Amino acid sequence: MDPVWSPDGTWVAFVRGPFDQPVIWAVRADGTGARRLTTGSTPEGHPSWR
């Protein structure tokens, strides 16, 4: 899955982890402030901004 930019262009959401337990992360556009958004207990593979 390709990274998904936030509507204001300041964050990028992406999927990382093993195929059976992917985790969604977000990081600022400058590469700082990485945040894990999901736990991986339920497969998540399609980040989106609402």
Short mmCIF file of all heavy atoms in Angstrom, two decimals:
data_model
loop_
_atom_site.label_atom_id
_atom_site.label_comp_id
_atom_site.label_asym_id
_atom_site.label_seq_id
_atom_site.Cartn_x
_atom_site.Cartn_y
_atom_site.Cartn_z
N MET A 1 0.85 -1.19 0.00
CA MET A 1 0.00 0.00 0.00
C MET A 1 0.88 1.23 0.00
O MET A 1 1.87 1.30 0.72
CB MET A 1 -0.91 -0.04 1.23
CG MET A 1 -1.48 1.28 1.59
SD MET A 1 -3.23 1.60 1.52
CE MET A 1 -3.91 0.97 0.10
N ASP A 2 0.52 2.20 -0.81
CA ASP A 2 1.27 3.45 -0.89
C ASP A 2 0.98 4.33 0.32
O ASP A 2 -0.12 4.28 0.89
CB ASP A 2 0.88 4.21 -2.15
CG ASP A 2 1.33 3.50 -3.42
OD1 ASP A 2 2.38 2.82 -3.38
OD2 ASP A 2 0.65 3.62 -4.43
N PRO A 3 1.93 5.15 0.70
CA PRO A 3 1.70 6.12 1.78
C PRO A 3 0.57 7.07 1.40
O PRO A 3 0.33 7.33 0.22
CB PRO A 3 3.01 6.88 1.89
CG PRO A 3 4.03 6.01 1.21
CD PRO A 3 3.28 5.23 0.18
N VAL A 4 -0.13 7.61 2.40
CA VAL A 4 -1.25 8.52 2.18
C VAL A 4 -0.96 9.84 2.89
O VAL A 4 -0.76 9.86 4.11
CB VAL A 4 -2.57 7.90 2.72
CG1 VAL A 4 -3.73 8.85 2.51
CG2 VAL A 4 -2.85 6.56 2.07
N TRP A 5 -0.93 10.92 2.13
CA TRP A 5 -0.69 12.24 2.70
C TRP A 5 -1.94 12.78 3.38
O TRP A 5 -3.05 12.58 2.89
CB TRP A 5 -0.27 13.22 1.61
CG TRP A 5 1.13 12.99 1.14
CD1 TRP A 5 1.52 12.19 0.11
CD2 TRP A 5 2.31 13.54 1.70
NE1 TRP A 5 2.88 12.21 -0.01
CE2 TRP A 5 3.40 13.03 0.95
CE3 TRP A 5 2.57 14.41 2.75
CZ2 TRP A 5 4.72 13.38 1.24
CZ3 TRP A 5 3.88 14.75 3.03
CH2 TRP A 5 4.94 14.24 2.28
N SER A 6 -1.75 13.49 4.49
CA SER A 6 -2.87 14.16 5.15
C SER A 6 -3.36 15.29 4.24
O SER A 6 -2.61 15.78 3.38
CB SER A 6 -2.44 14.72 6.51
OG SER A 6 -1.47 15.75 6.35
N PRO A 7 -4.62 15.71 4.41
CA PRO A 7 -5.16 16.77 3.55
C PRO A 7 -4.33 18.07 3.57
O PRO A 7 -4.24 18.75 2.54
CB PRO A 7 -6.55 17.01 4.12
CG PRO A 7 -6.93 15.70 4.73
CD PRO A 7 -5.64 15.17 5.30
N ASP A 8 -3.71 18.38 4.70
CA ASP A 8 -2.92 19.61 4.77
C ASP A 8 -1.45 19.40 4.39
O ASP A 8 -0.66 20.34 4.41
CB ASP A 8 -3.03 20.25 6.15
CG ASP A 8 -2.43 19.40 7.26
OD1 ASP A 8 -1.86 18.32 6.98
OD2 ASP A 8 -2.52 19.82 8.43
N GLY A 9 -1.07 18.16 4.07
CA GLY A 9 0.28 17.87 3.61
C GLY A 9 1.34 17.82 4.68
O GLY A 9 2.53 17.80 4.37
N THR A 10 0.93 17.80 5.95
CA THR A 10 1.93 17.82 7.02
C THR A 10 2.25 16.44 7.59
O THR A 10 3.23 16.29 8.31
CB THR A 10 1.47 18.73 8.18
OG1 THR A 10 0.23 18.25 8.69
CG2 THR A 10 1.32 20.17 7.71
N TRP A 11 1.42 15.43 7.30
CA TRP A 11 1.62 14.07 7.80
C TRP A 11 1.51 13.06 6.66
O TRP A 11 0.83 13.32 5.67
CB TRP A 11 0.57 13.71 8.85
CG TRP A 11 0.74 14.45 10.14
CD1 TRP A 11 0.23 15.68 10.43
CD2 TRP A 11 1.46 14.02 11.28
NE1 TRP A 11 0.59 16.05 11.70
CE2 TRP A 11 1.35 15.04 12.25
CE3 TRP A 11 2.17 12.88 11.61
CZ2 TRP A 11 1.94 14.94 13.51
CZ3 TRP A 11 2.76 12.78 12.86
CH2 TRP A 11 2.64 13.81 13.79
N VAL A 12 2.15 11.92 6.86
CA VAL A 12 2.05 10.80 5.93
C VAL A 12 1.68 9.57 6.75
O VAL A 12 2.34 9.27 7.76
CB VAL A 12 3.37 10.55 5.19
CG1 VAL A 12 3.24 9.37 4.25
CG2 VAL A 12 3.82 11.79 4.45
N ALA A 13 0.64 8.86 6.34
CA ALA A 13 0.27 7.60 6.99
C ALA A 13 0.77 6.45 6.11
O ALA A 13 0.72 6.55 4.88
CB ALA A 13 -1.24 7.51 7.16
N PHE A 14 1.24 5.39 6.75
CA PHE A 14 1.76 4.26 6.00
C PHE A 14 1.59 2.98 6.80
O PHE A 14 1.35 3.01 8.01
CB PHE A 14 3.23 4.47 5.64
CG PHE A 14 4.14 4.64 6.83
CD1 PHE A 14 4.82 3.56 7.36
CD2 PHE A 14 4.29 5.88 7.43
CE1 PHE A 14 5.66 3.72 8.46
CE2 PHE A 14 5.12 6.05 8.53
CZ PHE A 14 5.80 4.96 9.05
N VAL A 15 1.71 1.87 6.12
CA VAL A 15 1.57 0.55 6.75
C VAL A 15 2.95 -0.07 6.87
O VAL A 15 3.75 -0.02 5.94
CB VAL A 15 0.65 -0.36 5.92
CG1 VAL A 15 0.57 -1.75 6.53
CG2 VAL A 15 -0.72 0.26 5.78
N ARG A 16 3.20 -0.68 8.04
CA ARG A 16 4.46 -1.36 8.26
C ARG A 16 4.20 -2.59 9.11
O ARG A 16 3.34 -2.57 9.98
CB ARG A 16 5.43 -0.43 8.97
CG ARG A 16 6.80 -1.04 9.13
CD ARG A 16 7.77 -0.05 9.65
NE ARG A 16 9.05 -0.71 9.79
CZ ARG A 16 10.13 -0.14 10.22
NH1 ARG A 16 10.10 1.12 10.57
NH2 ARG A 16 11.24 -0.81 10.32
N GLY A 17 4.95 -3.63 8.89
CA GLY A 17 4.84 -4.83 9.69
C GLY A 17 4.63 -6.06 8.84
O GLY A 17 4.54 -5.97 7.62
N PRO A 18 4.54 -7.20 9.49
CA PRO A 18 4.34 -8.44 8.74
C PRO A 18 2.97 -8.46 8.05
O PRO A 18 2.03 -7.79 8.49
CB PRO A 18 4.43 -9.53 9.81
CG PRO A 18 4.16 -8.84 11.10
CD PRO A 18 4.58 -7.42 10.93
N PHE A 19 2.90 -9.22 7.00
CA PHE A 19 1.68 -9.29 6.18
C PHE A 19 0.43 -9.62 7.00
O PHE A 19 -0.64 -9.07 6.78
CB PHE A 19 1.86 -10.32 5.07
CG PHE A 19 0.66 -10.48 4.20
CD1 PHE A 19 0.33 -9.50 3.27
CD2 PHE A 19 -0.17 -11.58 4.32
CE1 PHE A 19 -0.79 -9.63 2.46
CE2 PHE A 19 -1.29 -11.71 3.52
CZ PHE A 19 -1.60 -10.74 2.59
N ASP A 20 0.57 -10.52 7.99
CA ASP A 20 -0.60 -10.96 8.75
C ASP A 20 -0.96 -10.02 9.91
O ASP A 20 -2.01 -10.16 10.50
CB ASP A 20 -0.41 -12.38 9.27
CG ASP A 20 0.78 -12.52 10.21
OD1 ASP A 20 1.70 -11.68 10.14
OD2 ASP A 20 0.79 -13.46 11.01
N GLN A 21 -0.09 -9.07 10.25
CA GLN A 21 -0.39 -8.11 11.32
C GLN A 21 0.18 -6.73 11.00
O GLN A 21 1.00 -6.19 11.74
CB GLN A 21 0.17 -8.60 12.65
CG GLN A 21 -0.58 -9.77 13.21
CD GLN A 21 -0.11 -10.09 14.62
OE1 GLN A 21 1.05 -9.92 14.98
NE2 GLN A 21 -1.03 -10.55 15.43
N PRO A 22 -0.26 -6.11 9.90
CA PRO A 22 0.25 -4.79 9.56
C PRO A 22 -0.22 -3.75 10.57
O PRO A 22 -1.27 -3.89 11.18
CB PRO A 22 -0.32 -4.52 8.18
CG PRO A 22 -1.54 -5.38 8.10
CD PRO A 22 -1.25 -6.59 8.94
N VAL A 23 0.58 -2.74 10.74
CA VAL A 23 0.30 -1.64 11.68
C VAL A 23 0.35 -0.33 10.89
O VAL A 23 1.20 -0.15 10.04
CB VAL A 23 1.36 -1.62 12.80
CG1 VAL A 23 1.16 -0.45 13.72
CG2 VAL A 23 1.32 -2.92 13.60
N ILE A 24 -0.58 0.57 11.19
CA ILE A 24 -0.59 1.88 10.55
C ILE A 24 0.19 2.87 11.41
O ILE A 24 -0.02 2.96 12.63
CB ILE A 24 -2.02 2.38 10.31
CG1 ILE A 24 -2.75 1.42 9.34
CG2 ILE A 24 -2.01 3.80 9.76
CD1 ILE A 24 -4.20 1.76 9.13
N TRP A 25 1.08 3.58 10.78
CA TRP A 25 1.89 4.62 11.40
C TRP A 25 1.63 5.94 10.69
O TRP A 25 1.21 5.96 9.54
CB TRP A 25 3.38 4.30 11.26
CG TRP A 25 3.87 3.19 12.12
CD1 TRP A 25 3.68 1.85 11.93
CD2 TRP A 25 4.62 3.32 13.31
NE1 TRP A 25 4.28 1.14 12.93
CE2 TRP A 25 4.88 2.01 13.79
CE3 TRP A 25 5.13 4.39 14.02
CZ2 TRP A 25 5.60 1.78 14.94
CZ3 TRP A 25 5.86 4.15 15.17
CH2 TRP A 25 6.08 2.86 15.62
N ALA A 26 1.94 7.04 11.37
CA ALA A 26 1.95 8.36 10.75
C ALA A 26 3.24 9.06 11.15
O ALA A 26 3.75 8.86 12.25
CB ALA A 26 0.75 9.19 11.19
N VAL A 27 3.77 9.85 10.24
CA VAL A 27 4.99 10.60 10.49
C VAL A 27 4.84 11.97 9.83
O VAL A 27 4.15 12.11 8.82
CB VAL A 27 6.23 9.83 9.95
CG1 VAL A 27 6.18 9.70 8.44
CG2 VAL A 27 7.52 10.46 10.41
N ARG A 28 5.45 12.97 10.43
CA ARG A 28 5.42 14.31 9.83
C ARG A 28 6.15 14.28 8.49
O ARG A 28 7.03 13.46 8.26
CB ARG A 28 6.09 15.32 10.76
CG ARG A 28 5.28 15.63 11.98
CD ARG A 28 5.93 16.79 12.78
NE ARG A 28 5.24 16.97 14.02
CZ ARG A 28 5.67 16.52 15.21
NH1 ARG A 28 6.81 15.88 15.30
NH2 ARG A 28 4.96 16.72 16.30
N ALA A 29 5.81 15.20 7.63
CA ALA A 29 6.40 15.27 6.30
C ALA A 29 7.92 15.40 6.34
O ALA A 29 8.62 14.95 5.44
CB ALA A 29 5.79 16.42 5.51
N ASP A 30 8.45 15.98 7.43
CA ASP A 30 9.92 16.13 7.55
C ASP A 30 10.59 14.90 8.14
O ASP A 30 11.79 14.88 8.37
CB ASP A 30 10.27 17.38 8.34
CG ASP A 30 9.86 17.31 9.81
OD1 ASP A 30 9.35 16.27 10.26
OD2 ASP A 30 10.07 18.32 10.52
N GLY A 31 9.80 13.84 8.41
CA GLY A 31 10.36 12.58 8.92
C GLY A 31 10.41 12.47 10.43
O GLY A 31 10.86 11.46 10.96
N THR A 32 9.94 13.48 11.15
CA THR A 32 9.96 13.44 12.61
C THR A 32 8.60 13.06 13.16
O THR A 32 7.59 13.09 12.45
CB THR A 32 10.36 14.81 13.20
OG1 THR A 32 9.36 15.78 12.83
CG2 THR A 32 11.73 15.24 12.70
N GLY A 33 8.55 12.74 14.43
CA GLY A 33 7.29 12.54 15.14
C GLY A 33 6.51 11.30 14.77
O GLY A 33 5.28 11.32 14.77
N ALA A 34 7.19 10.20 14.45
CA ALA A 34 6.48 8.97 14.08
C ALA A 34 5.55 8.53 15.20
O ALA A 34 5.92 8.56 16.37
CB ALA A 34 7.47 7.87 13.75
N ARG A 35 4.33 8.15 14.83
CA ARG A 35 3.33 7.70 15.80
C ARG A 35 2.67 6.43 15.30
O ARG A 35 2.20 6.37 14.17
CB ARG A 35 2.23 8.75 15.98
CG ARG A 35 2.73 10.04 16.53
CD ARG A 35 1.59 11.02 16.67
NE ARG A 35 2.09 12.29 17.15
CZ ARG A 35 1.36 13.34 17.32
NH1 ARG A 35 0.07 13.31 17.03
NH2 ARG A 35 1.89 14.46 17.76
N ARG A 36 2.63 5.44 16.17
CA ARG A 36 1.92 4.20 15.84
C ARG A 36 0.43 4.44 16.10
O ARG A 36 0.04 4.84 17.20
CB ARG A 36 2.45 3.08 16.72
CG ARG A 36 1.85 1.75 16.39
CD ARG A 36 2.49 0.68 17.26
NE ARG A 36 1.88 -0.60 16.98
CZ ARG A 36 2.41 -1.75 17.31
NH1 ARG A 36 3.57 -1.78 17.95
NH2 ARG A 36 1.80 -2.87 17.03
N LEU A 37 -0.40 4.20 15.10
CA LEU A 37 -1.83 4.50 15.20
C LEU A 37 -2.69 3.28 15.48
O LEU A 37 -3.81 3.43 15.96
CB LEU A 37 -2.31 5.19 13.93
CG LEU A 37 -1.58 6.47 13.55
CD1 LEU A 37 -2.13 7.02 12.25
CD2 LEU A 37 -1.68 7.50 14.67
N THR A 38 -2.21 2.09 15.14
CA THR A 38 -2.98 0.87 15.41
C THR A 38 -2.08 -0.12 16.14
O THR A 38 -0.85 0.01 16.13
CB THR A 38 -3.52 0.25 14.11
OG1 THR A 38 -2.44 -0.11 13.26
CG2 THR A 38 -4.47 1.20 13.39
N THR A 39 -2.69 -1.13 16.74
CA THR A 39 -1.93 -2.07 17.56
C THR A 39 -1.41 -3.28 16.81
O THR A 39 -0.50 -3.94 17.27
CB THR A 39 -2.81 -2.60 18.70
OG1 THR A 39 -3.89 -3.35 18.14
CG2 THR A 39 -3.34 -1.47 19.56
N GLY A 40 -2.00 -3.61 15.69
CA GLY A 40 -1.60 -4.80 14.96
C GLY A 40 -2.39 -6.02 15.38
O GLY A 40 -2.24 -7.09 14.82
N SER A 41 -3.26 -5.88 16.40
CA SER A 41 -4.05 -7.03 16.84
C SER A 41 -5.15 -7.36 15.84
O SER A 41 -5.63 -8.48 15.77
CB SER A 41 -4.66 -6.76 18.22
OG SER A 41 -5.49 -5.63 18.19
N THR A 42 -5.57 -6.36 15.07
CA THR A 42 -6.51 -6.55 13.97
C THR A 42 -5.82 -6.05 12.72
O THR A 42 -5.35 -4.92 12.70
CB THR A 42 -7.79 -5.74 14.20
OG1 THR A 42 -8.39 -6.14 15.42
CG2 THR A 42 -8.78 -5.94 13.06
N PRO A 43 -5.70 -6.87 11.69
CA PRO A 43 -5.00 -6.42 10.49
C PRO A 43 -5.58 -5.12 9.94
O PRO A 43 -6.77 -5.01 9.71
CB PRO A 43 -5.19 -7.57 9.50
CG PRO A 43 -5.42 -8.77 10.37
CD PRO A 43 -6.17 -8.26 11.58
N GLU A 44 -4.73 -4.15 9.76
CA GLU A 44 -5.08 -2.85 9.21
C GLU A 44 -4.17 -2.60 8.03
O GLU A 44 -2.96 -2.60 8.19
CB GLU A 44 -4.89 -1.75 10.25
CG GLU A 44 -5.70 -1.90 11.51
CD GLU A 44 -7.17 -1.59 11.31
OE1 GLU A 44 -7.52 -1.00 10.27
OE2 GLU A 44 -7.95 -1.93 12.18
N GLY A 45 -4.71 -2.39 6.88
CA GLY A 45 -3.85 -2.22 5.73
C GLY A 45 -4.20 -1.08 4.81
O GLY A 45 -3.62 -0.94 3.75
N HIS A 46 -5.13 -0.22 5.22
CA HIS A 46 -5.58 0.84 4.34
C HIS A 46 -5.74 2.15 5.10
O HIS A 46 -6.85 2.52 5.47
CB HIS A 46 -6.91 0.46 3.68
CG HIS A 46 -6.82 -0.84 2.93
ND1 HIS A 46 -6.22 -0.93 1.70
CD2 HIS A 46 -7.25 -2.07 3.24
CE1 HIS A 46 -6.28 -2.19 1.29
NE2 HIS A 46 -6.90 -2.89 2.21
N PRO A 47 -4.64 2.87 5.33
CA PRO A 47 -4.78 4.14 6.04
C PRO A 47 -5.55 5.16 5.21
O PRO A 47 -5.50 5.14 3.97
CB PRO A 47 -3.34 4.59 6.26
CG PRO A 47 -2.56 3.90 5.20
CD PRO A 47 -3.28 2.60 4.94
N SER A 48 -6.30 6.02 5.89
CA SER A 48 -6.99 7.11 5.21
C SER A 48 -7.17 8.24 6.21
O SER A 48 -7.16 8.01 7.42
CB SER A 48 -8.34 6.67 4.65
OG SER A 48 -9.22 6.33 5.68
N TRP A 49 -7.31 9.44 5.71
CA TRP A 49 -7.55 10.61 6.55
C TRP A 49 -9.02 10.99 6.42
O TRP A 49 -9.55 11.10 5.33
CB TRP A 49 -6.66 11.77 6.10
CG TRP A 49 -5.21 11.45 6.24
CD1 TRP A 49 -4.39 10.94 5.27
CD2 TRP A 49 -4.41 11.57 7.40
NE1 TRP A 49 -3.14 10.75 5.75
CE2 TRP A 49 -3.12 11.13 7.07
CE3 TRP A 49 -4.65 12.02 8.69
CZ2 TRP A 49 -2.06 11.14 7.98
CZ3 TRP A 49 -3.61 12.02 9.61
CH2 TRP A 49 -2.33 11.58 9.26
N ARG A 50 -9.66 11.22 7.55
CA ARG A 50 -11.08 11.62 7.52
C ARG A 50 -11.25 13.02 7.99
O ARG A 50 -10.57 13.52 8.78
CB ARG A 50 -11.90 10.69 8.40
CG ARG A 50 -11.90 9.31 7.86
CD ARG A 50 -12.74 8.45 8.73
NE ARG A 50 -12.58 7.07 8.31
CZ ARG A 50 -13.48 6.15 8.49
NH1 ARG A 50 -14.59 6.42 9.09
NH2 ARG A 50 -13.28 4.93 8.10
#
